[in-house]
Amino acid sequence: MTSALLGFLAVFALAFLRIPLAVAMSVVGLVGLGVLRGWQPAYASTSQVIFETGFHYVLSVIPLFVLMGNFVARAGMAKELFTAANAFVGHFRGGLAMASIIASGGFGSICGSSIATAATMTRVAYPEMKAHGYKSTLATGAIAFGGTLGILIPPSTVLVIYGIITETDIGKLFVAGILPGIVAIVCLCLAVVFVTWRDPSAGPPAERFAWRERLLAIRGIWGVALLFALVIGGIYGGVFTATEGAGVGAAGAFLFALLRGTLSPRVLLDILIESTRTTAMLFMILIGAMIFTNFINFTSMPAELRDYVLQFSPTPLMVIVMMMVIYLILGMVMEELAIVLLTIPVFFPIVTGLGFDPVWFGILIVTVVEIGMISPPVGLNLFVINSLLPSVNLGTLYRGIWPFVAADVVRLAILIAFPIIALWLPGLMAR
């Protein structure tokens, strides 16, 4: 137990010294194994982890979904999603903010990246909201939280990594994120309603669309609907695995971008380079996490924590609540992928020991990590928006997020109280 705690402290210390997380976890994991097991077994274990991770077939889903997200980002689909959502809700108070949230959910269903979703919707939705007199607090708050839907609504790189680390079915994790994603959109839209109820000038209504214009707007998103149905529908129906679905999605996104005329040789090269960089970063972090996990699993920490919790916890559900509080605190000071990779080796054995479904727990983790992505002072989505909108200072961004934080905490409570929301669709999947 002591050696594991020292390992975590060492990783945190190196991270605060601005050592890359992948390097910090790799070094601490290797040194820890060397001290506990001997250097020869430590070197052998580390080299095996690097080799197996690099050649793991299931991991090919990561570069494929990253590539898919980059293609759809260049294909201009976000603008059409926002237009379609605006056609139906834009005439309400705060309607454009709701439209940005709904469009973010739609874009997240074909992207899988929170940062990419937030960045894209900032370019698409923010100018429209400012043109209609929206306050920057509401506009940026809606975009920041809408962007987090990119890692919940499938496909999701965070769910992929969670599934690989815990050996949970990735297809079931993807399908499990659909209904919680819808609940998230509803809760965030209700937060917009609350904000505009308190301050009607924060989000004035836009013009009302005729039904003919609404139908035309819906026709504009057929590509998004088809791509989502093809990938997630194929996984849900058992037509192909999550890895094969990623390949189908990447190929489909490429064809859409090609047919829309948004791909030139230079753009294609940029997309491939960006996808390669992102994949390399994710793989380095994942390899580091695997090395560190080997070290943690060799200590007595997971078993001792599980026994402690099972003995002293008043109810198993309270243990989950305690874990979510820990995740909320960590989300204020750490990046979301780091949180998942560092805590899963400790928390997951406790969750399974208490008899909870790993699919449900995966959705809870992604949900609470979403809150961390917009929680000051480290919320990445806030910094992405600030970099794209230098005229909007961080103080304005911080003031705009709190109604949405409250909405997301309510959503988290709903998912904890009603696990069926996450588990119903996976239970109907083809075997």
Side-chain angles (χ1 to χ4, degrees), residues 141-164:
I143 293 171
F145 261 92
T148 64
L149 297 172
I151 61 170
L152 174 62
I153 297 177
S156 163
T157 52
V158 175
L159 284 177
V160 169
I161 291 173
Y162 171 87
I164 291 168

mmCIF file of all heavy atoms in Angstrom, residues 141-164:
data_model
loop_
_atom_site.group_PDB
_atom_site.id
_atom_site.type_symbol
_atom_site.label_atom_id
_atom_site.label_comp_id
_atom_site.label_asym_id
_atom_site.label_seq_id
_atom_site.Cartn_x
_atom_site.Cartn_y
_atom_site.Cartn_z
ATOM 1 N N GLY A 141 -20.511 29.555 -22.380
ATOM 2 C CA GLY A 141 -20.860 28.463 -21.472
ATOM 3 C C GLY A 141 -21.550 27.324 -22.201
ATOM 4 O O GLY A 141 -21.240 26.141 -21.979
ATOM 5 N N ALA A 142 -22.484 27.670 -23.087
ATOM 6 C CA ALA A 142 -23.190 26.640 -23.857
ATOM 7 C C ALA A 142 -22.237 25.890 -24.779
ATOM 8 O O ALA A 142 -22.313 24.661 -24.909
ATOM 9 C CB ALA A 142 -24.314 27.280 -24.667
ATOM 10 N N ILE A 143 -21.317 26.609 -25.418
ATOM 11 C CA ILE A 143 -20.369 25.964 -26.330
ATOM 12 C C ILE A 143 -19.395 25.078 -25.563
ATOM 13 O O ILE A 143 -19.092 23.953 -25.981
ATOM 14 C CB ILE A 143 -19.604 27.026 -27.142
ATOM 15 C CG1 ILE A 143 -20.560 27.741 -28.103
ATOM 16 C CG2 ILE A 143 -18.463 26.385 -27.924
ATOM 17 C CD1 ILE A 143 -19.947 28.937 -28.798
ATOM 18 N N ALA A 144 -18.907 25.571 -24.418
ATOM 19 C CA ALA A 144 -17.941 24.798 -23.629
ATOM 20 C C ALA A 144 -18.541 23.484 -23.164
ATOM 21 O O ALA A 144 -17.918 22.415 -23.287
ATOM 22 C CB ALA A 144 -17.472 25.624 -22.427
ATOM 23 N N PHE A 145 -19.767 23.538 -22.640
ATOM 24 C CA PHE A 145 -20.382 22.309 -22.156
ATOM 25 C C PHE A 145 -20.893 21.446 -23.295
ATOM 26 O O PHE A 145 -20.858 20.221 -23.215
ATOM 27 C CB PHE A 145 -21.518 22.637 -21.181
ATOM 28 C CG PHE A 145 -21.099 22.522 -19.759
ATOM 29 C CD1 PHE A 145 -20.613 23.612 -19.082
ATOM 30 C CD2 PHE A 145 -21.167 21.315 -19.097
ATOM 31 C CE1 PHE A 145 -20.207 23.517 -17.765
ATOM 32 C CE2 PHE A 145 -20.768 21.193 -17.787
ATOM 33 C CZ PHE A 145 -20.293 22.298 -17.108
ATOM 34 N N GLY A 146 -21.376 22.075 -24.357
ATOM 35 C CA GLY A 146 -21.778 21.289 -25.513
ATOM 36 C C GLY A 146 -20.610 20.497 -26.083
ATOM 37 O O GLY A 146 -20.759 19.350 -26.521
ATOM 38 N N GLY A 147 -19.409 21.095 -26.041
ATOM 39 C CA GLY A 147 -18.230 20.408 -26.538
ATOM 40 C C GLY A 147 -17.916 19.136 -25.785
ATOM 41 O O GLY A 147 -17.391 18.172 -26.362
ATOM 42 N N THR A 148 -18.235 19.094 -24.502
ATOM 43 C CA THR A 148 -17.928 17.896 -23.717
ATOM 44 C C THR A 148 -18.713 16.683 -24.196
ATOM 45 O O THR A 148 -18.323 15.540 -23.918
ATOM 46 C CB THR A 148 -18.214 18.118 -22.223
ATOM 47 O OG1 THR A 148 -19.628 18.336 -22.030
ATOM 48 C CG2 THR A 148 -17.455 19.311 -21.687
ATOM 49 N N LEU A 149 -19.810 16.894 -24.911
ATOM 50 C CA LEU A 149 -20.602 15.771 -25.406
ATOM 51 C C LEU A 149 -19.810 14.920 -26.393
ATOM 52 O O LEU A 149 -20.168 13.779 -26.649
ATOM 53 C CB LEU A 149 -21.879 16.284 -26.079
ATOM 54 C CG LEU A 149 -22.851 17.049 -25.164
ATOM 55 C CD1 LEU A 149 -23.973 17.675 -25.982
ATOM 56 C CD2 LEU A 149 -23.423 16.117 -24.103
ATOM 57 N N GLY A 150 -18.720 15.477 -26.931
ATOM 58 C CA GLY A 150 -17.915 14.737 -27.888
ATOM 59 C C GLY A 150 -17.279 13.485 -27.321
ATOM 60 O O GLY A 150 -16.948 12.566 -28.076
ATOM 61 N N ILE A 151 -17.077 13.416 -25.978
ATOM 62 C CA ILE A 151 -16.463 12.218 -25.405
ATOM 63 C C ILE A 151 -17.483 11.297 -24.748
ATOM 64 O O ILE A 151 -17.105 10.275 -24.168
ATOM 65 C CB ILE A 151 -15.370 12.582 -24.390
ATOM 66 C CG1 ILE A 151 -15.936 13.391 -23.218
ATOM 67 C CG2 ILE A 151 -14.235 13.311 -25.071
ATOM 68 C CD1 ILE A 151 -14.947 13.563 -22.080
ATOM 69 N N LEU A 152 -18.771 11.633 -24.814
ATOM 70 C CA LEU A 152 -19.805 10.757 -24.260
ATOM 71 C C LEU A 152 -20.601 10.086 -25.365
ATOM 72 O O LEU A 152 -20.735 8.858 -25.394
ATOM 73 C CB LEU A 152 -20.749 11.547 -23.350
ATOM 74 C CG LEU A 152 -21.959 10.771 -22.812
ATOM 75 C CD1 LEU A 152 -21.489 9.593 -21.950
ATOM 76 C CD2 LEU A 152 -22.871 11.678 -22.001
ATOM 77 N N ILE A 153 -21.128 10.889 -26.272
ATOM 78 C CA ILE A 153 -21.903 10.323 -27.378
ATOM 79 C C ILE A 153 -20.940 9.595 -28.320
ATOM 80 O O ILE A 153 -19.942 10.164 -28.742
ATOM 81 C CB ILE A 153 -22.664 11.432 -28.120
ATOM 82 C CG1 ILE A 153 -23.670 12.093 -27.160
ATOM 83 C CG2 ILE A 153 -23.377 10.888 -29.341
ATOM 84 C CD1 ILE A 153 -24.422 13.254 -27.751
ATOM 85 N N PRO A 154 -21.196 8.327 -28.618
ATOM 86 C CA PRO A 154 -20.232 7.553 -29.414
ATOM 87 C C PRO A 154 -20.108 8.093 -30.828
ATOM 88 O O PRO A 154 -21.057 8.658 -31.364
ATOM 89 C CB PRO A 154 -20.857 6.148 -29.407
ATOM 90 C CG PRO A 154 -22.336 6.400 -29.202
ATOM 91 C CD PRO A 154 -22.418 7.583 -28.291
ATOM 92 N N PRO A 155 -18.875 7.905 -31.399
ATOM 93 C CA PRO A 155 -17.687 7.243 -30.836
ATOM 94 C C PRO A 155 -16.932 8.156 -29.879
ATOM 95 O O PRO A 155 -16.980 9.365 -30.019
ATOM 96 C CB PRO A 155 -16.846 6.947 -32.072
ATOM 97 C CG PRO A 155 -17.199 8.049 -33.020
ATOM 98 C CD PRO A 155 -18.665 8.337 -32.803
ATOM 99 N N SER A 156 -16.233 7.545 -28.925
ATOM 100 C CA SER A 156 -15.530 8.313 -27.896
ATOM 101 C C SER A 156 -14.165 7.695 -27.639
ATOM 102 O O SER A 156 -14.074 6.503 -27.318
ATOM 103 C CB SER A 156 -16.352 8.327 -26.606
ATOM 104 O OG SER A 156 -15.570 8.707 -25.504
ATOM 105 N N THR A 157 -13.110 8.490 -27.751
ATOM 106 C CA THR A 157 -11.771 7.971 -27.496
ATOM 107 C C THR A 157 -11.583 7.612 -26.022
ATOM 108 O O THR A 157 -10.872 6.651 -25.703
ATOM 109 C CB THR A 157 -10.704 8.996 -27.912
ATOM 110 O OG1 THR A 157 -10.993 10.259 -27.293
ATOM 111 C CG2 THR A 157 -10.680 9.178 -29.418
ATOM 112 N N VAL A 158 -12.213 8.355 -25.117
ATOM 113 C CA VAL A 158 -12.090 8.052 -23.692
ATOM 114 C C VAL A 158 -12.749 6.710 -23.380
ATOM 115 O O VAL A 158 -12.196 5.895 -22.626
ATOM 116 C CB VAL A 158 -12.710 9.169 -22.839
ATOM 117 C CG1 VAL A 158 -12.697 8.783 -21.354
ATOM 118 C CG2 VAL A 158 -11.956 10.475 -23.028
ATOM 119 N N LEU A 159 -13.920 6.438 -23.964
ATOM 120 C CA LEU A 159 -14.568 5.151 -23.753
ATOM 121 C C LEU A 159 -13.738 4.014 -24.346
ATOM 122 O O LEU A 159 -13.702 2.913 -23.795
ATOM 123 C CB LEU A 159 -15.971 5.156 -24.372
ATOM 124 C CG LEU A 159 -17.056 5.913 -23.591
ATOM 125 C CD1 LEU A 159 -18.375 5.884 -24.367
ATOM 126 C CD2 LEU A 159 -17.254 5.301 -22.208
ATOM 127 N N VAL A 160 -13.088 4.271 -25.473
ATOM 128 C CA VAL A 160 -12.224 3.254 -26.077
ATOM 129 C C VAL A 160 -11.095 2.893 -25.112
ATOM 130 O O VAL A 160 -10.816 1.711 -24.861
ATOM 131 C CB VAL A 160 -11.649 3.743 -27.418
ATOM 132 C CG1 VAL A 160 -10.541 2.809 -27.899
ATOM 133 C CG2 VAL A 160 -12.744 3.818 -28.463
ATOM 134 N N ILE A 161 -10.430 3.895 -24.567
ATOM 135 C CA ILE A 161 -9.308 3.654 -23.658
ATOM 136 C C ILE A 161 -9.790 2.988 -22.373
ATOM 137 O O ILE A 161 -9.143 2.061 -21.859
ATOM 138 C CB ILE A 161 -8.579 4.972 -23.377
ATOM 139 C CG1 ILE A 161 -7.856 5.439 -24.646
ATOM 140 C CG2 ILE A 161 -7.591 4.824 -22.221
ATOM 141 C CD1 ILE A 161 -7.225 6.803 -24.557
ATOM 142 N N TYR A 162 -10.928 3.432 -21.857
ATOM 143 C CA TYR A 162 -11.501 2.773 -20.670
ATOM 144 C C TYR A 162 -11.782 1.302 -20.974
ATOM 145 O O TYR A 162 -11.473 0.415 -20.155
ATOM 146 C CB TYR A 162 -12.786 3.486 -20.248
ATOM 147 C CG TYR A 162 -13.570 2.756 -19.176
ATOM 148 C CD1 TYR A 162 -13.283 2.953 -17.832
ATOM 149 C CD2 TYR A 162 -14.595 1.872 -19.510
ATOM 150 C CE1 TYR A 162 -13.999 2.281 -16.842
ATOM 151 C CE2 TYR A 162 -15.307 1.195 -18.530
ATOM 152 C CZ TYR A 162 -15.017 1.405 -17.203
ATOM 153 O OH TYR A 162 -15.721 0.727 -16.229
ATOM 154 N N GLY A 163 -12.365 1.024 -22.121
ATOM 155 C CA GLY A 163 -12.685 -0.354 -22.485
ATOM 156 C C GLY A 163 -11.449 -1.217 -22.617
ATOM 157 O O GLY A 163 -11.450 -2.390 -22.213
ATOM 158 N N ILE A 164 -10.378 -0.652 -23.157
ATOM 159 C CA ILE A 164 -9.141 -1.425 -23.328
ATOM 160 C C ILE A 164 -8.497 -1.716 -21.979
ATOM 161 O O ILE A 164 -8.078 -2.854 -21.706
ATOM 162 C CB ILE A 164 -8.168 -0.654 -24.235
ATOM 163 C CG1 ILE A 164 -8.715 -0.617 -25.667
ATOM 164 C CG2 ILE A 164 -6.780 -1.295 -24.218
ATOM 165 C CD1 ILE A 164 -7.996 0.334 -26.575
#
